[in-house]
Amino acid sequence: MSTQTPAIDIEKLRKVYTRGKEEVTAIQEISLQIPEGKFVSIVGPSGCGKSTFLHIVGGFIPKSTGTVRIRGKEVDKPGPDRGMMFQESALFPWKNVYDNVAWGLEVQGVEKAKRDEIVEHYLKLVHLWDFRNNLPSELSGGMKQRISLARVLAFNPDVLLMDEPFGALDAQTREKMQVELQRIWQESNKSVMFVTHDIDEAVFLSDIVVVFSGRPAVIKEIIEIDFARPRQLDVHKTQEFMDIRNHIWDLLHQEHSKSGEDEF
Amino acid sequence: MDKRLHKIALIEVVVLLVLWQLLAMLQWIPEYLSSPAVIGKELLAMVMSGDLFSNAAASLYRSLLGFLLVAVVGIVLGIAAGYFKPIGVFFTPIVDVLNPVPKIALLPILMVWFGISDTTRVLLIFLTAFFPCFIATQDGVHGVKQVYVWAAQNMGASRIQILWKIILPAALPKIFDGLRVSLGLTFVMLFSSEMIGSSNGLGLGFMILTADMAGRTDLMFVSIFVIALLGFLFDRILLAVRARLLWWSENRG
């Protein structure tokens, strides 16, 4: 595999829904390449189709036209080459933490001894090994999402897809999770496609921020962010951070004032 | 909290029985309403003679056989109809049309086919109790959170693995809701199914009809009491099984 092949290569992706007799274009046309090992965020006004976009890349929702390639291989179904983390907890409530992480490996035929080793590694990576015998319902929202991350990393996908994984958490937990995610991401070295509506979150975490327009979605701008890593939370206070943040804010609010009437 | 509720329920039953006994002793209620003491005496006599056990066993056998059939057929078809769309499409009109039909109305047809037999009785019980189980199971499958299925697909699980390991456990709380309604109905139908070919058969329903013809309302109450007691007991057993299987669920009851 050549190093030139992007981790995720999206070409002329388009999504049109049919609602009764009406056709609704969710995604106008998007082409996007995510280089190996990069953390890429997608931001856009709410309802712009960024989550739909991610679900299409994951293979959960069918696309209308265009192609999605993961490390050069075309995909149109869900598969373990793309690890998806959902906004709401997708942990199985009838399995304890350990079995939640182990089940995916079992499905893929990983033998027991190897499975135990992998589960232990990732539960320790997210600092929740001590909770391996607990049920998901006994954990906080932040812990659940860390388990979800461990579960996804455990089956070793080529890329990580994350759909507002911290969207349901309170502001402080959310900041902690961002720092945690950065640490885990740096250790795992995966390419990430991260959808969020939180500009600060996107700028703090990403190498590249992709700004979507309002529905139907097109790419408005691609912004590279090159703060040194690991980033500390106080990077938020730097002028450079605020400039980027404000720039993205302006981009999103042009959208709001343009098509804002039906947003609320 | 739970213990307190048990206590309240027990006190409630005792108070009602005492009140009934008092009203009977003061002769404020007609004689055909009997009294707890008389019913208790008759109950004891029937336990001693063994009559009660043979009648209760015959009824229980039919009810539980009906319930077992409902559980197996209802859950299997309900899951198939919920998971495989063409099967669901096939069953929907049949179930929607037959569900509101009082199954007892089909008794004459069943009697033509199977005679005055236990087959007829068990089928009547089955037909009545089938629908709540089937409908709840299908609903349960439809109600499984999409993200559970997506997460499993993401891991590379096959359709069969998803059916057994994701859909079935996720739908189980709803399936038990349906089973509970079905179980209650099998005890309701225990009586109705014994309205045919009475007098010579064994069963709690027959006991009621025989007692009625003899004008012995006290014996009638004995049968009703035993049906209620058995229904209650088996409901508790079902709840215990549910708590066992749904140990992980927040509303395991």
Side-chain angles (χ1 to χ4, degrees):
Chain A
M1 202 173 295
S2 96
T3 47
Q4 254 74 15
T5 314
I8 305 176
D9 183 1
I10 290 141
E11 214 184 297
K12 294 188 174 166
L13 187 83
R14 184 176 163 79
K15 176 68 183 176
V16 182
Y17 283 108
T18 23
R19 289 246 164 78
K21 280 181 184 168
E22 219 181 328
E23 288 206 329
V24 183
T25 307
I27 297 166
Q28 187 67 45
E29 184 180 294
I30 285 183
S31 296
L32 180 66
Q33 290 177 344
I34 293 183
E36 204 65 64
K38 293 284 182 196
F39 197 114
V40 178
S41 286
I42 296 171
V43 295
S46 56
C48 74
K50 56 190 188 293
S51 179
T52 304
F53 177 74
L54 194 74
H55 280 80
I56 292 172
V57 176
F60 304 109
I61 296 177
K63 59 184 186 277
S64 298
T65 53
T67 49
V68 177
R69 290 189 195 86
I70 304 297
R71 290 191 172 162
K73 210 176 117 254
E74 197 174 331
V75 289
D76 60 358
K77 286 197 304 263
D81 54 342
R82 288 144 291 156
M84 178 83 163
M85 234 182 111
F86 301 92
Q87 178 172 7
E88 62 174 315
S89 168
L91 295 175
F92 307 131
W94 56 91
K95 290 185 191 293
N96 67 19
V97 165
Y98 189 95
D99 291 335
N100 257 289
V101 181
W103 192 68
L105 299 166
E106 199 183 324
V107 160
Q108 289 162 28
V110 178
E111 60 178 272
K112 176 92 173 84
K114 184 79 186 151
R115 225 153 61 204
D116 287 343
E117 195 183 304
I118 295 172
V119 175
E120 184 173 345
H121 173 78
Y122 284 104
L123 283 181
K124 282 182 172 165
L125 182 68
V126 299
H127 299 317
L128 286 172
W129 174 243
D130 289 345
F131 291 86
R132 60 189 175 280
N133 295 320
N134 285 76
L135 286 174
S137 57
E138 296 164 337
L139 306 177
S140 70
M143 287 158 97
K144 276 186 208 164
Q145 288 305 63
R146 270 148 73 197
I147 302 291
S148 298
L149 181 58
R151 183 169 83 170
V152 165
L153 288 171
F155 60 82
N156 195 25
D158 295 337
V159 298
L160 281 182
L161 309 175
M162 306 178 88
D163 184 21
E164 299 202 30
F166 310 143
L169 306 178
D170 64 82
Q172 266 144 27
T173 312
R174 181 176 254 244
E175 279 193 338
K176 270 186 216 150
M177 292 292 289
Q178 290 164 6
V179 176
E180 276 286 285
L181 177 60
Q182 178 182 233
R183 174 182 68 81
I184 293 163
W185 167 71
Q186 283 192 297
E187 279 188 44
S188 71
N189 215 14
K190 303 270 182 215
S191 323
V192 179
M193 193 187 260
F194 188 96
V195 164
T196 181
H197 64 264
D198 182 335
I199 304 171
D200 280 65
E201 183 169 80
V203 177
F204 177 75
L205 283 169
S206 311
D207 299 312
I208 298 164
V209 175
V210 180
V211 182
F212 274 25
S213 72
R215 185 173 280 235
V218 292
I219 291 177
K220 215 160 181 197
E221 197 169 319
I222 296 178
I223 299 153
E224 293 206 29
I225 315 237
D226 46 14
F227 298 115
R229 291 195 193 262
R231 296 171 188 166
Q232 311 297 325
L233 279 174
D234 56 14
V235 73
H236 283 96
K237 294 190 284 190
T238 63
Q239 189 57 48
E240 205 188 342
F241 188 99
M242 283 192 275
D243 288 345
I244 298 171
R245 193 199 165 280
N246 293 344
H247 175 62
I248 297 173
W249 194 92
D250 288 338
L251 285 172
L252 293 183
H253 284 74
Q254 288 165 15
E255 284 301 325
H256 277 306
S257 51
K258 204 174 67 192
S259 65
E261 304 90 19
D262 54 357
E263 278 295 332
F264 296 101
Chain B
M1 186 63 201
D2 216 18
K3 276 227 169 99
R4 245 187 64 204
L5 287 178
H6 278 283
K7 237 186 203 162
I8 292 172
L10 196 67
I11 291 170
E12 188 183 325
V13 171
V14 171
V15 167
L16 283 174
L17 285 176
V18 169
L19 198 67
W20 184 3
Q21 182 66 38
L22 266 171
L23 290 174
M25 279 159 71
L26 294 169
Q27 293 187 322
W28 285 7
I29 52 171
E31 206 179 328
Y32 59 78
L33 285 180
S34 199
S35 79
V38 173
I39 295 166
K41 210 183 80 203
E42 288 302 329
L43 178 67
L44 203 67
M46 292 190 76
V47 170
M48 296 308 235
S49 70
D51 280 359
L52 190 65
F53 293 110
S54 44
N55 282 297
S59 284
L60 255 190
Y61 166 74
R62 290 189 286 262
S63 280
L64 293 183
L65 187 62
F67 179 68
L68 204 70
L69 279 174
V70 165
V72 172
V73 181
I75 292 173
V76 168
L77 289 186
I79 287 178
Y83 195 50
F84 300 102
K85 210 165 176 210
I87 301 181
V89 168
F90 173 78
F91 274 109
T92 300
I94 300 173
V95 168
D96 288 357
V97 167
L98 290 184
N99 183 33
V101 171
K103 308 310 174 291
I104 192 95
L106 299 172
L107 192 58
I109 300 171
L110 290 175
M111 276 166 62
V112 169
W113 286 345
F114 301 104
I116 300 174
S117 65
D118 273 1
T119 310
T120 299
R121 295 188 186 107
V122 172
L123 272 177
L124 186 66
I125 293 171
F126 169 78
L127 286 173
T128 305
F130 168 79
F131 292 89
C133 177
F134 175 88
I135 291 168
T137 304
Q138 189 183 20
D139 262 11
V141 172
H142 284 158
V144 174
K145 273 201 206 166
Q146 180 69 63
V147 284
Y148 295 158
V149 177
W150 276 348
Q153 286 177 336
N154 193 202
M155 295 166 189
S158 68
R159 275 205 95 175
I160 294 298
Q161 281 171 323
I162 290 173
L163 180 61
W164 279 111
K165 303 290 184 165
I166 307 297
I167 302 283
L168 188 63
L172 212 50
K174 210 65 196 284
I175 292 175
F176 267 100
D177 289 347
L179 280 179
R180 209 173 164 201
V181 177
S182 292
L183 183 66
L185 282 176
T186 63
F187 282 92
V188 171
M189 293 312 287
L190 176 158
F191 172 71
S192 313
S193 72
E194 291 176 15
M195 294 203 323
I196 49 164
S198 60
S199 73
N200 52 355
L202 279 176
L204 295 167
F206 296 144
M207 270 174 66
I208 294 176
L209 293 170
T210 319
D212 178 38
M213 281 187 283
R216 292 287 302 274
T217 48
D218 50 341
L219 291 180
M220 236 178 75
F221 277 116
V222 169
S223 303
I224 292 171
F225 171 75
V226 174
I227 293 174
L229 186 70
L230 288 174
F232 174 78
L233 276 179
F234 279 91
D235 185 52
R236 286 298 136 134
I237 292 172
L238 187 72
L239 287 181
V241 173
R242 174 199 166 101
R244 246 296 160 75
L245 287 176
L246 299 182
W247 60 277
W248 50 270
S249 173
E250 279 150 336
N251 55 351
R252 60 185 173 274

